[in-house]
Amino acid sequence: MDAVWQRVLDRLPSAVVGPMPDEPAHDPPFVVLRVDCKAHSTALGALSELRERACQLVESSSPALIDQAAQRVWTGLRRRLLGDMPDRDTGALLVDTLNRVRTEDTRPIAVVLERAESLDAASAAVLLQILERPGWLQVPVVLHCTEAGVEGQCQRVVEGLRTHYGDTAVIAGEAKSQGSLPQPRRIDLPPDVRRVVRAAAVIGPSFEVSLVAALIDQPELEVLYALQVAKDLGVPLTDAGGGRLQLTEDYAEAERNALLPSLSGAWHKRLARLLAERVRSRRADASPPSAPRSPSMPPTGTVPPPPMPRPSAPPPSMPSAPLQRAQPGRAARHAEAAGDVDLAVEQYVAAAHRAAEEGAHEHAANLANRALDLLGRTAVTSKRRLLRVMALLALARVKWRAQVEGEPSGLSDALELIGECRARLLPTDPVELRAEVAALSAAVHYDLGDATSLDKALAELGEASRALLEAGKPLDAARLLNDEAAVWVRAGDPVRSHHLLMKSREIFAERAPSDPSARLELAETDHLLGRLVLHAPPRPGHEHDALEVGIEHATRAEAVFRELDKSHELGRVYETLGRLELAAGRPREAVEHLGAAAQLQQRIADVIGLARTSAALAEVARESGDLERAVVLLGGSVELNLEKGSPLGLAFNRRALETLHGQLTASQRRELHDQLGQVAQRLDAAERTVGRIALPTEALGLRHTQRPTR
């Protein structure tokens, strides 16, 4: 077996300089995720494409209606009361996703970055970050450099491989004889088989069977049969598993070049519309599914064209496969290839917002700028004006949340873009988009944090909420009431915050019996009401009553989250219940809830939640006198946050360690000196590796006495 594939079996990263050896026969066969760095040479483009491919292997279905409701958080301010804040970077997210693939598939898996000499600087930096921590990524990465004399960003990664894995990690590829090279144009295929192969080639060297079937309106089984015939006749085709197959780059390119430009354009446009929607395997005579549209997106006319002609006697229909989530980045590229500027811009904007939410800020900025660049080449229409606003909003989110190389990034820069968005909007524009601009402005002012900025945030949210109510959208307005409640907590008025939460709860409760999204929002609002007492202690003499009411609300939320199988939310509400029971003086009940939270959060790898739960358990252990147990819990949480690459989780660990140390007596500190020192050293080392951030004051509870100075 070639050295590179032996290293894949040993889960070791490699670089191949020169021709890449073919995958050897192996039982079970290799699963190879190939990404062409030259085709995705924008900032973080290759790694974003890789993560999207990996997500397709572990996420078999699109978010259901209740998931969409949970994900639709414009500002994230309500999440501050729950302690949920943007966290892990691109490297940690990529490692997490690929490790999930490794866990769920027993076959040998590898990532091959083709034409790695075109690797962008941001992707190279992330790969170096991963390589510097051997064992973190459980899936081996192979950099394939097609020519000797590696330079630029790829050279940095190759040298990193030598440093951390030795010279044997860099392998010289052996040139293949002319007889062994593929001859893609000499293979004669039946017309129906060539149609399938060419459709696959238009999708790309790596393609999904379900997408080919949707593109040419054929059942998946017929597509698979045609691909089997193509392989039998010599087409260089490999099966990567999970419904994804791979053509060689040169063969796919040759097939694409042989297409009539009109057919190529028509297929690209159809692909764009399919990927912009939820792709599914359909019955032979089924029409493409309609796509649920985000309220903030204007109509685009992305209804798929009529099905292509079918044979007179189609084979028996197949049951539909699970839905696949939309892939706006891919949709945008196909739309651009088809010359459909409006659809391309819309999908670049959607991809930019998704990337920003996932923490891939540099990639999000690149996608948004690509949309703006395309808009700059076309005449201005009302629809394109709105698309420009949405692209600017995506950039504003990036500048609000992160520093991006080459982009002036900061809160003032975000506000400048938001001002440009507002200047381009008209009173007759969709109320959802106007509300989104106002809500993002409120979020930025919230983070500025001074009294004047908080007043501005409240004004923005109030205006947006009223506009939504007037437009007959009470659920959207109620969501913003919850965000407004978070601002009032920070402004030092928990009573007003409680009033707003009860008001939104009333709206959600009225619609919950007939609206699943309202039911989920009702549960989250109950969780917020339960959490509120941890942020704003009640008046003296009313502590017990307030805690009991908080427990009642959180218990209601727990029942709904359990019924809907919302594991992340269930773990967080368990933690809230544990803290409330601890504050109520019931440590046994507190431990039961916190233990359930820790077990669930460990299972689903919710490192932030587990860090907070560990801190609460450490507090219980301290109060019960089991100090060594408290220290052990913190140490374990530090290790997990290091493994998952979570600076926010480590910030929670540091807060818990400092709190524990401050509450110990002098004799207890002497007794636990060695254990505390070891945890502190591990925490320092972890933060040097992952990064150290300040923990926001509202993360564990902002007391009402901490008012902004006026």
Side-chain angles (χ1 to χ4, degrees):
M1 182 179 293
D2 291 294
V4 62
W5 294 109
Q6 184 58 54
R7 289 180 65 86
V8 166
L9 290 176
D10 296 336
R11 299 188 186 180
L12 294 172
S14 311
V16 175
V17 181
M20 178 80 178
D22 295 331
E23 298 166 35
H26 189 269
D27 187 22
F30 287 91
V31 176
V32 183
L33 297 175
R34 298 179 185 270
V35 175
D36 185 357
C37 295
K38 189 170 184 178
H40 305 280
S41 57
T42 56
L44 290 177
L47 297 192
S48 297
E49 176 69 13
L50 172 59
R51 183 162 181 263
E52 184 66 47
R53 298 262 187 93
C55 283
Q56 293 166 25
L57 295 180
V58 294
E59 296 177 7
S60 61
S61 62
S62 294
L65 179 60
I66 53 176
D67 295 311
Q68 295 169 23
Q71 293 165 3
R72 192 177 160 218
V73 180
W74 288 340
T75 69
L77 293 184
R78 79 181 83 170
R79 311 303 303 179
R80 305 297 181 92
L81 291 180
L82 301 176
D84 289 344
M85 284 150 284
D87 181 37
R88 290 180 288 170
D89 59 16
T90 301
L93 291 168
L94 178 63
V95 169
D96 226 18
T97 306
L98 288 172
N99 285 349
R100 284 176 60 199
V101 176
R102 168 78 273 167
T103 300
E104 297 181 15
D105 199 319
T106 58
R107 295 172 296 176
I109 300 174
V111 168
V112 177
L113 299 178
E114 303 279 11
R115 295 197 281 189
E117 58 269 17
S118 299
L119 194 68
D120 65 278
S123 294
V126 172
L127 286 173
L128 283 171
Q129 173 194 356
I130 295 172
L131 293 174
E132 287 170 358
R133 297 174 57 187
W136 186 25
L137 177 61
Q138 299 297 310
V139 175
V141 175
V142 180
L143 271 75
H144 179 205
C145 309
T146 55
E147 298 178 0
V150 179
E151 298 179 351
Q153 301 302 326
C154 185
Q155 184 179 21
R156 293 174 55 205
V157 183
V158 170
E159 291 306 314
L161 278 169
R162 293 186 192 275
T163 300
H164 297 288
Y165 296 90
D167 290 339
T168 56
V170 182
I171 301 167
E174 297 182 4
K176 300 179 182 180
S177 65
Q178 287 296 317
S180 66
L181 293 177
Q183 303 294 327
R185 300 305 300 278
R186 297 180 184 176
I187 301 175
D188 293 326
L189 299 174
D192 57 334
V193 174
R194 186 167 294 281
R195 179 187 181 216
V196 170
V197 171
R198 284 178 168 170
V202 170
I203 294 172
S206 178
F207 60 90
E208 306 95 314
V209 173
S210 61
L211 190 55
V212 177
L215 175 60
I216 60 175
D217 200 34
Q218 291 272 358
E220 278 190 40
L221 193 58
E222 289 296 304
V223 170
L224 282 169
Y225 179 72
L227 292 171
Q228 179 65 62
V229 172
K231 182 172 178 60
D232 293 344
L233 292 174
V235 172
L237 186 67
T238 56
D239 192 335
R244 179 177 285 276
L245 283 80
Q246 178 90 27
L247 290 165
T248 60
E249 183 74 41
D250 56 348
Y251 189 91
E253 185 175 3
E255 290 296 332
R256 287 194 299 269
N257 290 339
L259 287 174
L260 290 171
S262 295
L263 177 57
S264 176
W267 270 354
H268 276 299
K269 179 172 287 191
R270 185 172 172 86
L271 280 170
R273 291 170 173 173
L274 288 167
L275 289 165
E277 298 179 352
R278 308 277 197 257
V279 178
R280 76 160 81 205
S281 303
R282 300 187 309 281
R283 298 178 186 273
D285 57 350
S287 60
S290 60
R293 182 169 301 283
S294 168
S296 62
M297 297 290 279
T300 58
T302 57
V303 178
M308 302 177 82
R310 298 282 303 129
S312 57
S317 60
M318 297 175 59
S320 296
L323 291 169
Q324 302 293 324
R325 75 174 191 168
Q327 300 172 50
R330 292 176 70 190
R333 292 192 293 272
H334 284 295
E336 189 173 356
D340 190 333
V341 173
D342 287 350
L343 181 56
V345 169
E346 176 193 297
Q347 295 304 306
Y348 276 128
V349 167
H353 280 283
R354 175 183 288 184
E357 290 302 318
E358 293 178 345
H361 301 296
E362 194 160 355
H363 185 50
N366 183 73
L367 291 165
N369 282 321
R370 181 59 183 159
L372 292 170
D373 181 55
L374 287 176
L375 287 169
R377 304 178 192 176
T378 59
V380 177
T381 64
S382 178
K383 174 181 171 182
R384 290 171 185 165
R385 175 177 56 81
L386 295 180
L387 287 170
R388 180 176 290 276
V389 169
M390 282 181 268
L392 291 170
L393 268 178
L395 268 183
R397 284 190 187 279
V398 170
K399 293 176 185 290
W400 166 45
R401 289 184 170 178
Q403 294 288 328
V404 176
E405 186 176 353
E407 291 274 354
S409 304
L411 298 182
S412 60
D413 299 299
L415 285 176
E416 183 178 344
L417 284 177
I418 292 169
E420 186 175 347
C421 291
R422 184 173 279 113
R424 293 177 181 275
L425 287 173
L426 301 175
T428 54
D429 286 334
V431 65
E432 297 90 350
L433 183 56
R434 290 185 283 123
E436 186 174 358
V437 172
L440 183 57
S441 176
V444 179
H445 281 101
Y446 177 96
D447 280 344
L448 287 171
D450 59 276
T452 302
S453 295
L454 293 179
D455 286 342
K456 178 66 172 175
L458 290 169
E460 296 272 22
L461 290 171
E463 178 184 346
S465 183
R466 286 190 295 274
L468 288 166
L469 277 174
E470 292 171 1
K473 300 181 180 297
L475 290 184
D476 290 339
R479 292 182 180 107
L480 291 187
L481 288 179
N482 286 355
D483 289 335
E484 193 175 345
V487 182
W488 278 114
V489 169
R490 185 160 190 178
D493 193 339
V495 175
R496 185 74 64 88
S497 177
H498 183 270
H499 171 74
L500 289 170
L501 289 173
M502 292 301 295
K503 185 177 179 181
S504 69
R505 188 186 188 283
E506 181 181 344
I507 295 173
F508 292 134
E510 182 181 344
R511 290 159 177 79
S514 59
D515 187 338
S517 65
R519 188 164 179 236
L520 186 62
E521 294 283 3
L522 175 62
E524 184 181 81
T525 305
D526 273 323
H527 190 190
L528 289 168
L529 284 162
R531 192 88 186 170
L532 184 60
V533 69
L534 298 175
H535 290 259
R539 292 172 295 167
H542 294 78
E543 292 88 353
H544 177 76
D545 291 342
L547 286 169
E548 292 304 322
V549 171
I551 290 172
E552 181 181 343
H553 280 295
T555 302
R556 290 175 184 161
E558 174 199 357
V560 176
F561 291 148
R562 186 190 298 110
E563 181 182 343
L564 297 178
D565 196 25
K566 305 297 292 181
S567 298
H568 179 275
E569 290 79 1
L570 184 59
R572 297 302 177 92
V573 82
Y574 279 149
E575 182 235 338
T576 296
L577 282 166
R579 290 185 177 276
L580 290 170
E581 293 286 6
L582 182 60
R586 296 189 286 265
R588 178 178 299 178
E589 289 81 354
V591 168
E592 289 179 1
H593 287 300
L594 293 171
Q599 183 178 11
L600 180 57
Q601 289 161 344
Q602 179 80 43
R603 179 169 62 83
I604 65 174
D606 177 9
V607 291
I608 308 302
L610 188 58
R612 297 187 340 182
T613 299
S614 298
L617 282 168
E619 186 176 345
V620 175
R622 180 191 61 77
E623 292 192 0
S624 63
D626 192 355
L627 300 176
E628 290 189 7
R629 171 69 172 163
V631 177
V632 168
L633 285 167
L634 282 175
S637 182
V638 169
E639 294 300 323
L640 183 61
N641 281 302
L642 172 61
E643 176 188 341
K644 296 297 182 180
S646 173
L648 183 57
L650 292 173
F652 276 109
N653 292 145
R654 182 166 293 282
R655 167 77 70 86
L657 182 61
E658 291 171 351
T659 300
L660 177 62
H661 190 273
Q663 293 174 338
L664 295 176
T665 65
S667 61
Q668 289 171 335
R669 288 175 191 161
R670 287 193 297 270
E671 183 180 345
L672 296 172
H673 179 271
D674 291 344
Q675 296 98 312
L676 289 170
Q678 290 174 2
V679 173
Q681 289 175 3
R682 285 152 66 189
L683 180 57
D684 287 339
E687 289 184 325
R688 284 195 296 272
T689 301
V690 175
R692 181 170 181 173
I693 64 172
L695 189 63
T697 54
E698 66 269 30
L700 286 177
L702 178 66
R703 301 308 188 187
H704 67 281
T705 54
Q706 297 173 273
R707 299 174 184 271
T709 303
R710 290 190 180 275

